[in-house]
């Protein structure tokens, strides 16, 4: 299938698998252990159905929204994904240009193969910086300061990775960063490298560098070293939502790390309502994980998300067609969301409500008992 014949986001994955080295594709595509959650992140969306409204004037549809004070063209943003130059020589720079051209937000991974300064150099755009907290807090201070200086607008603090999940494909492949690439934000720092080991080189690197003692007090500490808003990425429960609010988070990203950490956690879309209910509008709640269609975006918005972040679709499209691929993915999702809104009778994001969807659990309460038998 040629690039010009691609009609949906998922078709990029098959082409990327054909194009990428096995070690790289497996790293991007795999989940933890049995990969049950990896599949469930997608399957859970299919259990949410629409309740469309009709005879509404949908000749003008507005998908614009505001995230942490920044106006963007649509509620679809780019999640942090590591080592994008493994997918394409321009890596994160191509992704940054595509996001800017689409009028949306890109989140740069700490483990990017392009530095915050390089990404800033491609031109204007609204960018967030994803942060892993290292044992050496001096490194954290330096990273945050550099992100601020490079014009990044928020910190997405990843909180679900005190250890790396057991990703068996990486163990089999003895995954490590290809020798011509480096984690650019750490270039020149004496913090060890991602070397080949008997299992996953990344897992060994994380074990040696990332701070396992990270706790809620550190969210407050982070606020003492930066004025940037802090999104807490990796929250899945009401209890942690309450703590995020209490500890001054500017927002929450409901995330299971692309199903790469703890297997057999629910899909993020299944956790979303619990988090939104507890947040009580005190801070915005976003979602990542499993989004492959504009209809998925609509469903997340209907369940209370302020927007979604996409990860793997960016990597696959980047591998297949560079910046043009990422642009196309963003455009396809935008077009699909627009159609879903029109066919549901919604002309703006605020008109998308819980009443527009039927979740599987709802069916048990709405279908008369006799009909259920």
């Amino acid at each position: 299938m040629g690039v010009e014949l691609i009609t949906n986001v998922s078709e990029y994955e098959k082409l990327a698998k054909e194009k990428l080295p096995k070690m790289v594709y497996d790293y991007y595509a795999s989940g933890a252990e049995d990969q049950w959650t990896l599949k469930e992140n997608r399957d859970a969306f299919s259990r949410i159905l629409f309740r469309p409204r009709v005879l509404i004037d949908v000749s003008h549809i507005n998908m614009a929204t505001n995230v942490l004070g920044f106006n963007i063209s649509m509620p679809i943003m780019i999640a942090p994904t590591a080592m994008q130059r493994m997918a394409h020589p321009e890596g994160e720079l191509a992704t940054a240009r595509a996001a800017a051209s689409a009028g949306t937000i890109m989140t740069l991974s700490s483990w990017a193969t392009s530095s915050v300064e390089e990404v800033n150099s491609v031109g204007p755009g609204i960018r967030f910086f994803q942060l892993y907290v290292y044992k050496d807090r001096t490194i954290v201070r330096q990273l945050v300061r550099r992100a601020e200086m490079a014009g990044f607008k928020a910190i997405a603090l990843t909180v679900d990775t005190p250890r790396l999940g057991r990703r068996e494909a990486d163990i089999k492949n003895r995954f490590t960063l290809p020798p011509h690439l480096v984690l650019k934000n750490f270039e020149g720092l004496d913090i060890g490298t991602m070397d080949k080991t008997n299992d996953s080189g990344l897992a060994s690197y994380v074990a040696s560098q990332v701070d396992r003692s990270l706790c809620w007090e550190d969210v407050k500490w982070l606020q003492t070293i930066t004025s940037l808003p802090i999104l807490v990425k990796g929250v899945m429960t009401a209890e942690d939502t309450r703590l995020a609010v209490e500890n001054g988070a500017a927002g929450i990203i409901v995330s299971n790390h692309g199903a790469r950490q703890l297997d057999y956690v629910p899909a993020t879309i299944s956790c979303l309502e619990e988090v939104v209910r507890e947040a009580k509008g005190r801070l915005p709640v976003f979602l990542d994980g499993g989004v492959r269609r504009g209809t998925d975006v609509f469903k997340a918005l209907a369940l209370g998300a302020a927007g979604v972040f996409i990860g793997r679709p960016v990597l696959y499209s980047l591998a297949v067609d560079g910046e043009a691929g990422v642009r196309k993915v963003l455009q396809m999702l935008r077009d699909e969301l627009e159609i879903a809104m029109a066919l549901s009778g919604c002309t703006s994001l605020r008109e998308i409500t819980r009443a527009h969807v039927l979740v599987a659990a709802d069916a048990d309460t709405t279908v008369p008992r006799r009909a259920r038998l």
Side-chain angles (χ1 to χ4, degrees), residues 129-143:
F129 181 70
Q130 177 271 331
L131 180 67
Y132 287 111
V133 174
Y134 277 52
K135 293 173 183 175
D136 184 342
R137 294 299 174 92
T138 304
I139 289 169
V140 178
R141 283 192 174 91
Q142 289 174 352
L143 265 184

Side-chain angles (χ1 to χ4, degrees), residues 137 157 213-224 243 246-247:
R137 294 299 174 92
L157 175 67
S213 74
L214 189 71
C215 63
W216 286 106
E217 281 300 310
D218 295 306
V219 177
K220 287 188 170 174
W221 169 77
L222 205 52
Q223 293 166 60
T224 69
L243 288 166
E246 289 171 5
N247 286 281

Side-chain angles (χ1 to χ4, degrees), residues 224-255:
T224 69
I225 67 167
T226 182
S227 59
L228 294 179
I230 296 162
L231 294 165
V232 179
K233 179 179 183 292
V235 169
M236 298 183 71
T237 64
E239 295 90 331
D240 283 338
T241 301
R242 195 174 310 127
L243 288 166
V245 172
E246 289 171 5
N247 286 281
I252 283 170
I253 303 174
V254 177
S255 175

Side-chain angles (χ1 to χ4, degrees), residues 61-277:
I61 289 181
N62 180 11
M63 285 179 281
T65 190
N66 186 285
V67 170
L68 301 184
F70 300 99
N71 293 321
I72 58 175
S73 67
M74 59 182 174
I76 303 163
M77 298 162 282
I78 293 181
T81 51
M83 309 175 221
Q84 292 183 16
R85 286 187 196 261
M86 294 196 305
H88 187 275
E90 292 193 327
E92 293 86 359
L93 307 186
T95 301
R97 287 193 295 266
S101 70
T104 194
I105 292 164
M106 174 206 180
T107 315
L108 183 72
S109 171
S110 278
W111 295 337
T113 38
S114 309
S115 67
V116 290
E117 293 83 5
E118 287 172 322
V119 169
N120 184 45
S121 75
V122 306
I126 305 163
R127 298 178 188 117
F128 295 171
F129 181 70
Q130 177 271 331
L131 180 67
Y132 287 111
V133 174
Y134 277 52
K135 293 173 183 175
D136 184 342
R137 294 299 174 92
T138 304
I139 289 169
V140 178
R141 283 192 174 91
Q142 289 174 352
L143 265 184
V144 170
R145 181 73 183 134
R146 285 170 57 199
E148 287 176 336
M149 295 286 287
F152 284 69
K153 303 301 184 187
I155 301 292
L157 175 67
T158 294
V159 296
D160 58 7
T161 319
R163 297 182 60 173
L164 208 67
R166 186 176 170 83
R167 305 166 193 175
E168 294 177 3
D170 290 349
I171 296 169
K172 284 187 173 71
N173 293 329
R174 298 187 177 184
F175 173 82
T176 190
L177 192 60
H180 66 289
L181 297 173
V182 295
L183 300 182
K184 275 291 206 175
N185 287 313
F186 304 98
E187 196 172 27
L189 297 176
D190 183 23
I191 58 166
T193 55
M194 200 184 303
D195 300 318
K196 273 208 176 293
T197 65
N198 288 329
D199 51 22
S200 161
L202 180 61
S204 300
Y205 175 81
V206 169
S208 69
Q209 299 298 335
V210 171
D211 191 347
R212 293 184 189 179
S213 74
L214 189 71
C215 63
W216 286 106
E217 281 300 310
D218 295 306
V219 177
K220 287 188 170 174
W221 169 77
L222 205 52
Q223 293 166 60
T224 69
I225 67 167
T226 182
S227 59
L228 294 179
I230 296 162
L231 294 165
V232 179
K233 179 179 183 292
V235 169
M236 298 183 71
T237 64
E239 295 90 331
D240 283 338
T241 301
R242 195 174 310 127
L243 288 166
V245 172
E246 289 171 5
N247 286 281
I252 283 170
I253 303 174
V254 177
S255 175
N256 54 32
H257 212 104
R260 295 160 70 78
Q261 283 299 100
L262 180 63
D263 201 13
Y264 295 97
V265 295
T268 49
I269 192 69
S270 303
C271 303
L272 179 59
E273 279 199 286
E274 176 181 331
V275 172
V276 168
R277 265 196 302 270

Side-chain angles (χ1 to χ4, degrees), residues 6 9 24 52 75 88-89 95 108 124-125 170 199 266 278 289 297 334 341 368:
I6 290 175
V9 167
V24 173
H88 187 275
T95 301
L108 183 72
D170 290 349
D199 51 22
E278 184 58 40
V297 181
R334 181 189 175 91
M341 288 174 67

Side-chain angles (χ1 to χ4, degrees), residues 257-314:
H257 212 104
R260 295 160 70 78
Q261 283 299 100
L262 180 63
D263 201 13
Y264 295 97
V265 295
T268 49
I269 192 69
S270 303
C271 303
L272 179 59
E273 279 199 286
E274 176 181 331
V275 172
V276 168
R277 265 196 302 270
E278 184 58 40
K280 299 183 178 76
R282 292 173 290 181
L283 77 184
V285 176
F286 306 95
L287 173 136
D288 70 25
V291 174
R292 298 293 183 273
R293 286 278 189 187
T295 47
D296 299 335
V297 181
F298 187 104
K299 291 170 185 180
L301 297 174
L303 297 183
V308 305
F309 289 85
I310 58 167
R312 288 186 179 93
V314 171

